[in-house]
Amino acid sequence: MGTTRWAGHRLPGVLAMVVSVLVTGCTTPTGPTPSSSAPTGVTSTPVTSTSQTAPSPSATSTTGWPAGVVTPFRTTEAGSATGKRIGLISPDATDPFSRAVTDSIIAETTTAGAALIRCDPGADGEFALECAQRLSNQQVDGWIVQRSGWMPGNSLCGAGPRTVPMIVVDGPPGPCTTATVTADDSAAGRLAGSHLGEYSIHDHDCRFDSFILITDPTESAASTARAEGIREGFRQSCPDRLEMPFTTAPGTTVAPPPTTTDPSQQSASSSAAAERARVTVVDTADQKAVYDAVQRAIGAQPDSGRILIAAVSDGPAFTAMTAVRSAGRLEDVRLVAVGADQRSRCEIAGNPRWLGDAALFPDRYGELVVPSLIDAMAGRSIPQAMLTTPQFVDVSTVSGSYDVSSCPENP
């Protein structure tokens, strides 16, 4: 089936409306549980299981919404939604992650044979409501909303289709949401942190001079979950090296205080604190600020100082590595991140200082969103909150998930 595009709009700066795959529902969810076997019309094909796959995560539930259920990617059966109309509200994202998610949803909708009606609101909340209103007049059988950060979900629910299923991707549920799909951010952080910790304990017995954590205030919930996961994962290998919580002013360097107020133990405690690495938290979405903060933190260390960097996403991680190169400190730095999107893959494949990423597979989201929506449209139960499974990829495994044959040896 084809994709329909809505051209033009009265609001300045708003991109065109495009027909895409989406299942929308504005009926209050009744708490479905996951099926014990693959539903009719789809074949279960989970992400390859390896020792680098995240353990079963414990997702934090939102108020009135169940904790997430780890749900495998599935193969969409060709023609399984022939004759159906799916609506999709998603911005024409400039970041690689969101763009990969949208492309994956569109591809899986095409495979399913559904007519996809896509509306692109950009960053305009008012136009997002118009998108929902237009979908309600298009007789869609279901709809998908990606990154519904424009406004509260109940506003979209009031404007959009009210009797068909709706799946929200990487956004909070509204009263009409049938299901949500998002990454398990805590598990992804733990994967990244544990691999950085394993490197540290094996390479230099957890002795290093600086730990730089790069977070993102624009994605506060995901960023916080990933940052805490990084800390937890790292402490599994190096439990006494990072006692400070990862919360401080942007770009501030802090050291943990003594852990006791007993004068007889102050000296030993102060000595132990001195052995712990200083933690620099860079909490900004501005890439120049990331670059400058990383250069300052590196410059404060001796020429031979060991420096560890962890980032909650690939954009700032790539910027941090650029700052490391400019400072001439590649040999002293080891980095991990969360995402494994297009920006990081060549670094992982060819730069031994980039130890790897907790991959979130945005290019496969459609393999979960679209089959689940088709199930819901057919009246089959799906989990209300679905989590994708992160997997750590490094130089030895990245080529198993992505084509890195054209990457330079030393990016």
Side-chain angles (χ1 to χ4, degrees):
M1 302 295 290
T3 295
T4 303
R5 173 181 288 273
W6 280 311
H9 192 266
R10 59 182 175 79
L11 294 175
V14 175
L15 298 176
M17 302 277 292
V18 185
V19 173
S20 66
V21 179
L22 174 58
V23 176
T24 292
C26 285
T27 54
T28 302
T30 56
T33 56
S35 303
S36 58
S37 59
T40 304
V42 293
T43 303
S44 177
T45 56
V47 176
T48 303
S49 176
T50 73
S51 61
Q52 295 180 322
T53 301
S56 179
S58 55
T60 301
S61 62
T62 56
T63 303
W65 201 253
V69 175
V70 174
T71 310
F73 297 120
R74 299 179 288 169
T75 300
T76 303
E77 181 180 347
S80 56
T82 298
K84 300 296 184 180
R85 294 167 64 83
I86 294 175
L88 173 62
I89 301 178
S90 68
D92 189 10
T94 57
D95 68 285
F97 189 97
S98 296
R99 187 165 59 247
V101 171
T102 297
D103 290 346
S104 176
I105 291 172
I106 292 172
E108 294 302 312
T109 302
T110 300
T111 297
L116 179 62
I117 304 165
R118 180 184 173 196
C119 182
D120 173 18
D124 192 306
E126 181 180 348
F127 193 26
L129 278 180
E130 277 203 34
C131 286
Q133 291 168 349
R134 292 192 183 191
L135 290 182
S136 69
N137 295 324
Q138 289 291 318
Q139 298 180 329
V140 296
D141 298 288
W143 54 313
I144 301 162
V145 177
Q146 184 186 353
R147 290 186 176 271
S148 57
W150 310 282
M151 64 189 63
N154 55 349
S155 297
L156 284 176
C157 288
R162 303 190 180 195
T163 59
V164 297
M166 170 206 224
I167 292 181
V168 174
V169 181
D170 286 340
C176 69
T177 303
T178 304
T180 60
V181 172
T182 188
D184 189 332
D185 294 305
S186 295
R190 287 194 298 272
L191 268 179
S194 65
H195 279 79
L196 188 59
E198 288 172 11
Y199 162 80
S200 181
I201 193 171
H202 290 141
D203 190 70
H204 41 73
D205 196 28
C206 287
R207 294 186 176 276
F208 52 92
D209 299 286
S210 179
F211 191 106
I212 302 171
L213 177 74
I214 308 173
T215 58
D216 183 355
T218 65
E219 299 284 349
S220 58
S223 178
T224 298
R226 293 176 190 178
E228 286 302 317
I230 288 169
R231 180 173 181 262
E232 291 173 14
F234 188 84
R235 291 186 64 190
Q236 291 174 3
S237 296
C238 302
D240 297 324
R241 294 292 284 155
L242 297 177
E243 290 297 333
M244 283 294 290
F246 287 158
T247 53
T248 188
T252 300
T253 302
V254 296
T259 57
T260 179
T261 57
D262 185 342
S264 65
Q265 300 180 29
Q266 279 284 357
S267 178
S269 180
S270 296
S271 177
E275 285 295 311
R276 296 180 186 130
R278 301 182 70 83
V279 179
T280 299
V281 179
V282 181
D283 184 36
T284 178
D286 184 283
Q287 296 307 298
K288 184 179 185 304
V290 171
Y291 181 93
D292 292 342
V294 170
Q295 283 223 320
R296 284 195 303 271
I298 291 175
Q301 300 304 316
D303 291 342
S304 59
R306 298 187 182 99
I307 301 163
L308 303 181
I309 300 177
V312 299
S313 59
D314 283 319
F318 193 87
T319 299
M321 188 58 74
T322 301
V324 169
R325 286 193 177 93
S326 297
R329 298 295 297 272
L330 275 175
E331 294 302 323
D332 303 324
V333 170
R334 297 297 181 270
L335 178 148
V336 295
V338 174
D341 66 29
Q342 294 93 321
R343 292 167 289 192
S344 68
R345 294 167 195 164
C346 284
E347 290 279 358
I348 294 170
N351 181 358
R353 294 90 183 173
W354 195 308
L355 301 180
D357 267 32
L360 300 178
F361 303 105
D363 52 305
R364 298 193 64 183
Y365 267 49
E367 297 174 40
L368 177 53
V369 175
V370 174
S372 297
L373 184 58
I374 293 172
D375 284 347
M377 290 190 297
R380 293 186 285 268
S381 294
I382 61 174
Q384 285 182 299
M386 293 177 279
L387 299 172
T388 63
T389 307
Q391 178 178 319
F392 196 80
V393 295
D394 58 19
V395 64
S396 66
T397 59
V398 65
S399 62
S401 298
Y402 298 105
D403 181 7
V404 293
S405 60
S406 61
C407 291
E409 291 186 6
N410 294 292

